[in-house]
């Protein structure tokens, strides 16, 4: 994975990120991910590593929800915190907890699109301005977190988006590090 490829994934939707890829730590991250992918399964797939940023361009962010790591298996990891592809079941516990809280909201109980909401795929949230960002954008298939490699990058992005005074809400789930 090259810094050029990473930058190309984000330059349209998060132009402020482009300068991040010139930093030496990003080359270190790319080298680490290349080595990991050569020897192990890494999730999500390379094309979905930056999905949270592609689906929620910076100028549309209204809410930031921070997760911890992607789900450590191929069927679940899709690049959006807490989200799983349509058809996955049973849903991960963290996502079931989110649904339980949503079900307590009487306005949402009348949502005509309740089936889409129950699917586990939260892409529709992302397209409405909910940045579903994991603190680590990749994880090993054995559950080994890549947090230490992503920390500075994701901290910078979550801080830049949550410092915007027009942001409605920011919250995090999972265990803090």
């Amino acid at each position: 994975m090259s810094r050029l490829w990473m930058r190309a994934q984000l330059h349209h939707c998060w132009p402020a990120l482009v300068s991040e890829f010139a930093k030496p730590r990003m080359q270190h991250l790319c080298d680490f991910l290349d080595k990991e992918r050569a020897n192990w399964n890494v999730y999500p797939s390379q094309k979905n590593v930056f999905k949270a940023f592609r689906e929620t361009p910076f100028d549309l962010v209204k809410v930031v929800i921070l997760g911890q790591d992607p789900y450590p298996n191929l069927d679940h990891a899709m690049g959006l915190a807490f989200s799983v592809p349509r058809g996955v079941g049973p849903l991960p516990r963290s996502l079931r907890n989110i649904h339980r809280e949503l079900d307590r909201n009487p306005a949402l109980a009348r949502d005509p699109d309740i089936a889409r909401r129950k699917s586990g795929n939260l892409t529709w949230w992302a397209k409405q301005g909910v940045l579903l960002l994991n603190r680590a954008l990749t994880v090993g298939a054995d559950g080994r977190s890549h947090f230490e490699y992503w920390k500075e990058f994701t901290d910078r992005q979550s801080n830049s988006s949550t410092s915007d005074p027009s942001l409605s809400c920011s919250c995090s789930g999972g265990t803090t590090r």
Side-chain angles (χ1 to χ4, degrees):
M1 182 183 294
S2 73
R3 287 189 283 182
L4 183 60
W5 181 87
M6 288 179 151
R7 191 173 68 213
Q9 295 294 301
L10 300 171
H11 79 280
H12 295 297
C13 47
W14 283 70
L17 292 182
V18 173
S19 64
E20 288 291 311
F21 297 101
K23 297 180 179 175
R25 67 178 161 70
M26 292 307 287
Q27 185 59 52
H28 179 67
L29 171 64
C30 291
D31 293 344
F32 167 76
L33 289 174
D34 286 342
K35 189 174 172 183
E36 284 288 293
R37 286 192 191 278
N39 296 303
W40 312 98
N41 289 322
V42 173
Y43 303 116
S45 64
Q46 184 169 319
K47 70 177 182 159
N48 285 330
V49 170
F50 295 108
K51 186 172 184 165
F53 297 106
R54 284 194 317 270
E55 296 293 344
T56 314
F58 183 80
D59 58 342
L60 295 182
V61 174
K62 298 174 193 161
V63 175
V64 177
I65 298 178
L66 292 175
Q68 188 171 321
D69 301 293
Y71 296 120
N73 63 53
L74 180 61
D75 294 335
H76 290 169
M78 63 178 289
L80 299 173
F82 303 106
S83 186
V84 295
R86 189 176 302 278
V88 167
L91 297 179
R93 184 178 328 149
S94 56
L95 187 52
R96 288 193 316 261
N97 290 341
I98 290 170
H99 282 301
R100 186 173 42 248
E101 291 304 315
L102 291 173
D103 289 341
R104 291 180 183 178
N105 182 322
L108 292 175
R110 295 186 302 272
D111 182 356
D113 209 3
I114 195 83
R116 177 176 62 173
R117 186 166 59 83
K118 289 290 189 179
S119 79
N121 186 329
L122 302 177
T123 302
W124 65 285
W125 273 11
K127 291 182 181 298
Q128 294 180 60
V130 179
L131 179 62
L132 298 164
L133 183 64
N134 279 312
R135 304 242 0 254
L137 298 185
T138 58
V139 66
D142 59 357
R144 281 180 304 112
S145 176
H146 297 164
F147 174 73
E148 65 188 85
Y149 296 93
W150 287 107
K151 180 187 181 339
E152 193 173 336
F153 178 81
T154 54
D155 281 355
R156 188 177 309 276
Q157 303 336 303
S158 64
N159 289 340
S160 70
S161 56
T162 58
S163 65
D164 185 337
S166 66
L167 189 67
S168 301
C169 173
S170 175
C171 61
S172 61
T175 315
T176 57
R177 296 190 193 268

